[in-house]
């Protein structure tokens, strides 16, 4: 007999829904759009033909419906990889754990996860208001070092790790890459790149208000190591997808070029273009 998960490990709400996301297994589709901002959820779901599920708890908002006859979900994750730790574990639990019996299912399901976000560029040649697909990603937040079975290496990770000059940060690094299956849907993106996921918005991204960053040239150094852009979620999404057997891809709208000091004049226009472009390929 399979051992049941303890109530302290698999936490459920009174109605049997998963704790943070406030969802039952039937509330999500196989294809899920992940956005950071809860306000972006209705901006995506307004393109759906129908919306049957609208649920939320804290910063986690979910709409599930149909698009061109196929079921689809959009969910907000909030900011940062600590939230992705919650989202990815609880999404996996919804499809791969029997919540009533509190037992892991013998047959596993694979979700298709499409992160739709914004990013900043560290490459001076990348234009603002264009779309960039993440091929490789490095996490500087250390999250996956808490998971015993995660170990990913490829040509990009080995070259980056060897040359990374910041000894205090180096032990936290982990790497992953996009799903080959989902990446094939976005071959026509203007930019494909290597992304750095940061654990904060200010000093980790080279910003200085009243506190000094470790290195004023941090972003330039990352660009010299092959990084094209940065954001705050993709490393965990890609890593958990690898570890749990799901598929993941990130498509970001470049809202800032930090090396040139440029910011989008109207990112709402490019955001709308991004939503339409991504959805057209999620369900063709």
């Amino acid at each position: 007999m399979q051992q049941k998960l303890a109530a302290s490990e698999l936490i459920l709400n009174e109605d049997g829904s998963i704790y943070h996301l406030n969802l039952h297994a039937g509330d999500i589709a196989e294809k899920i759009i992940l956005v950071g901002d809860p306000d972006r959820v209705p901006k995506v779901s307004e393109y759906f033909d129908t919306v049957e599920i609208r649920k939320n708890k804290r910063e986690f908002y979910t709409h599930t419906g149909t698009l061109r006859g196929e079921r689809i979900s959009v969910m907000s994750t909030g900011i940062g990889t600590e939230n992705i730790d919650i989202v990815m574990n609880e999404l996996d639990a919804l499809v791969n754990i029997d919540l009533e019996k509190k037992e892991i299912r013998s047959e596993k399901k694979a979700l298709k996860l499409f992160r739709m976000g914004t990013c900043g560029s560290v490459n001076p040649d990348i234009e603002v208001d264009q779309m960039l697909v993440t091929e490789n990603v490095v996490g500087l937040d250390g999250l996956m070092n808490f998971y015993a079975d995660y170990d990913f290496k490829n040509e990009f990770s080995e070259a980056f790790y060897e040359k990374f000059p910041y000894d205090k940060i180096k032990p936290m690094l982990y790497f992953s890459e996009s799903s080959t299956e989902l990446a094939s849907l976005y071959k026509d993106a203007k930019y494909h790149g290597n992304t750095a996921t940061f654990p904060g918005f200010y000093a980790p991204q080279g910003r200085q208000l009243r506190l000094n960053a470790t290195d004023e040239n941090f972003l330039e150094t990352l660009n010299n190591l092959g990084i094209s852009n940065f954001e705050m979620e993709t490393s965990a999404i890609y890593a958990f997808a690898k570890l749990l057997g799901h598929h993941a891809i990130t498509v970001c709208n470049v809202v800032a070029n930090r090396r040139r000091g440029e910011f989008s004049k109207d990112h709402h226009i490019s955001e709308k273009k991004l939503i339409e472009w991504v959805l057209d390929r999620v369900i063709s």
Side-chain angles (χ1 to χ4, degrees), residues 13-159:
N13 298 309
E14 290 183 3
D15 65 353
S17 61
I18 198 74
Y19 184 62
H20 295 92
L21 301 185
N22 193 35
L23 297 172
H24 293 91
D27 291 338
I28 59 169
E30 176 189 337
K31 294 180 178 179
I32 303 174
I33 307 293
L34 298 176
V35 298
D37 186 355
D39 288 340
R40 194 173 293 153
V41 170
K43 292 180 181 179
V44 174
S45 67
E46 72 177 4
Y47 287 89
F48 294 1
D49 300 321
T50 64
V51 178
E52 65 190 70
I53 300 290
R54 289 183 175 89
K55 290 188 175 182
N56 70 280
K57 184 178 180 182
R58 302 187 186 185
E59 61 265 61
F60 307 112
Y61 283 69
T62 303
H63 290 182
T64 296
T66 58
L67 177 61
R68 291 186 280 276
E70 188 172 335
R71 205 157 183 257
I72 185 172
S73 298
V74 56
M75 173 184 294
S76 61
T77 66
I79 297 175
T81 57
E82 65 273 25
N83 274 15
I84 299 301
D85 179 69
I86 292 170
V87 169
M88 293 296 289
N89 275 290
E90 293 195 2
L91 281 177
D92 180 75
L94 288 174
V95 295
N96 290 318
I97 296 176
D98 185 322
L99 299 187
E100 290 186 5
K101 296 180 179 179
K102 294 195 173 184
E103 294 177 353
I104 297 172
R105 299 183 187 277
S106 56
E107 294 186 11
K108 305 298 188 298
K109 291 183 179 180
L111 296 170
K112 295 181 179 180
L113 306 167
F114 301 79
R115 164 160 156 72
M116 185 190 299
T118 59
C119 71
S121 171
V122 299
N123 185 333
D125 297 327
I126 292 178
E127 299 174 18
V128 170
D129 292 323
Q130 297 294 329
M131 283 165 278
L132 188 151
V133 175
T134 297
E135 293 184 348
N136 295 290
V137 63
V138 54
L140 288 85
D141 55 284
L143 174 61
M144 299 311 294
N145 292 299
F146 288 89
Y147 287 86
D149 297 326
Y150 190 74
D151 183 20
F152 175 86
K153 295 179 182 178
N154 64 5
E155 184 176 345
F156 166 76
S157 71
E158 291 182 345

Side-chain angles (χ1 to χ4, degrees), residues 164-224:
F164 190 75
Y166 303 98
D167 291 338
K168 289 183 178 179
I169 304 172
K170 199 167 186 176
M172 296 188 290
L173 301 182
Y174 64 93
F175 301 84
S176 193
E177 63 183 2
S178 63
S179 159
T180 302
E181 177 184 339
L182 300 190
S184 66
L185 302 175
Y186 299 96
K187 289 181 179 179
D188 58 333
K190 182 163 186 177
Y191 300 112
H192 295 78
N194 303 317
T195 299
T197 294
F198 292 151
F201 185 77
Y202 287 94
Q205 297 185 20
R207 291 184 176 90
Q208 301 184 110
L209 301 182
R210 293 184 59 228
L211 299 174
N212 293 327
T214 299
D215 183 358
E216 293 183 355
N217 298 314
F218 185 51
L219 298 183
E220 182 176 354
T221 299
L222 291 181
N223 187 208
N224 292 337

